[in-house]
């Protein structure tokens, strides 16, 4: 069974540009989460999808971040315009519904560098 | 808000036991986790414990939970060089599905 995949693995962009990160969850997982780790600090929750609906977006830092999950399969996270403080590693995770919700499986992350 | 704290570094000799500690503030956390991140890799779910348990053992890994002190620990027996990684403690925030992570403990195993 394939794990959570993320694309790209690395992205280097200039301040003010736009970047779109993609996450493909484990097949059959209705729950999809985005987290990020900034500057070696703790990993922080951004948002949670259940299928195509946003269940919890309390961690989204500001309106420069837009997450979508059309069709309830893969998800994209767009940052527009990017700022220096957006640099970090963006992780995606997925989990099953019901009891499986307690097991979140993470992807390898996308390292974003804003210069 | 919820807070999870870990020490930043731990260095142990190969073959010894490692103990990584974590404290948390949210007494209503239901599940508590240990994730492992090897260099260049993602977060691997190592193990987790439900809050009504005191201990969970899985091969070389032992998780201990002290709910009174809000203290979680991960013991790795017979530590190997392949165990060198960053270990993250995380708790499931009450009534949500979001994980609250600590800053991670970098475990270095030397021969």
């Amino acid at each position: 069974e394939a794990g959570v995949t993320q694309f790209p693995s690395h992205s280097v962009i200039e301040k003010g540009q736009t970047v779109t990160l993609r996450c493909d969850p484990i097949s059959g997982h209705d729950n999809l989460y985005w987290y990020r780790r900034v500057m070696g600090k703790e990993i922080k929750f951004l948002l949670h999808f259940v299928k195509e609906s946003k269940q919890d977006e309390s961690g989204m830092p500001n309106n420069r971040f837009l997450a979508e999950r059309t069709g309830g399969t893969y998800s994209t996270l767009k940052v527009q315009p990017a700022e220096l403080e957006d640099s970090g590693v963006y992780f995606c995770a997925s989990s099953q519904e019901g009891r499986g919700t307690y097991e979140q499986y993470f992807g390898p992350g996308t390292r974003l560098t804003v210069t | 808000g919820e807070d999870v704290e870990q020490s930043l570094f731990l260095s142990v000799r190969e073959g010894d036991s490692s103990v990584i500690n974590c404290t948390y503030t949210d007494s209503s956390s239901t599940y508590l986790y240990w994730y492992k991140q090897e260099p260049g890799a993602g977060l691997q779910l190592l193990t987790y414990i439900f809050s009504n348990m005191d201990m969970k053992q899985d091969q070389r890994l032992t998780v201990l939970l002290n709910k009174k002190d809000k203290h979680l620990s991960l013991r790795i027996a017979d530590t190997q060089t392949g165990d060198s990684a960053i270990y993250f403690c995380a708790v499931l925030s009450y009534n949500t599905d979001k994980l609250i992570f600590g800053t991670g403990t970098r475990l270095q195993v030397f021969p």
Side-chain angles (χ1 to χ4, degrees):
Chain A
E1 181 184 277
V4 177
T5 58
Q6 294 186 245
F7 182 82
S9 56
H10 292 87
S11 180
V12 181
I13 61 171
E14 292 184 354
K15 177 182 170 182
Q17 289 186 321
T18 298
V19 63
T20 300
L21 314 181
R22 174 172 169 144
C23 167
D24 286 78
I26 293 172
S27 178
H29 281 194
D30 288 337
N31 293 290
L32 188 148
Y33 312 83
W34 284 98
Y35 293 83
R36 74 172 179 178
R37 189 181 190 207
V38 174
M39 292 291 289
K41 295 186 177 179
E42 65 272 18
I43 299 166
K44 283 195 178 290
F45 168 85
L46 294 178
L47 90 160
H48 169 206
F49 283 99
V50 178
K51 296 183 181 177
E52 67 275 8
S53 300
K54 291 176 186 173
Q55 178 78 9
D56 181 355
E57 49 184 329
S58 61
M60 294 288 265
N62 51 60
N63 58 11
R64 295 185 295 104
F65 289 75
L66 175 63
E68 294 180 322
R69 193 183 182 197
T70 307
T73 53
Y74 70 91
S75 174
T76 58
L77 179 64
K78 182 192 288 188
V79 185
Q80 179 183 30
E83 297 288 345
L84 297 178
E85 64 263 26
D86 300 331
S87 295
V89 181
Y90 289 76
F91 292 102
C92 175
S94 72
S95 69
Q96 293 179 325
E97 262 302 284
R99 185 175 171 80
T101 300
Y102 307 130
E103 297 181 3
Q104 294 186 23
Y105 294 94
F106 281 73
T110 293
R111 181 174 295 278
L112 175 64
T113 302
V114 183
T115 62
Chain B
E2 305 95 331
D3 192 25
V4 177
E5 292 192 357
Q6 304 176 237
S7 54
L8 292 179
F9 299 102
L10 177 65
S11 183
V12 300
R13 188 180 298 277
E14 190 174 18
D16 287 351
S17 292
S18 308
V19 179
I20 303 171
N21 295 300
C22 168
T23 57
Y24 59 97
T25 57
D26 185 2
S27 58
S28 59
S29 297
T30 51
Y31 285 85
L32 302 101
Y33 303 79
W34 286 103
Y35 281 85
K36 175 184 180 183
Q37 185 182 28
E38 296 183 71
L43 297 169
Q44 175 193 352
L45 177 58
L46 274 182
T47 185
Y48 62 94
I49 189 168
F50 188 52
S51 57
N52 68 353
M53 298 168 64
D54 297 325
M55 185 184 84
K56 180 179 180 181
Q57 188 155 1
D58 183 3
Q59 299 181 332
R60 292 191 298 122
L61 305 179
T62 303
V63 178
L64 294 177
L65 175 61
N66 181 328
K67 281 197 70 175
K68 175 176 169 289
D69 294 337
K70 297 179 199 168
H71 182 268
L72 182 74
S73 67
L74 174 69
R75 178 178 181 270
I76 305 173
D78 186 25
T79 311
Q80 302 298 307
T81 55
D83 294 323
S84 294
I86 300 175
Y87 290 81
F88 290 93
C89 171
V91 302
L92 193 66
S93 181
Y94 175 70
N95 215 27
T96 75
D97 281 351
K98 63 182 176 185
L99 294 172
I100 309 297
F101 283 88
T103 52
T105 299
R106 183 178 296 274
L107 173 65
Q108 182 179 30
V109 183
F110 58 93

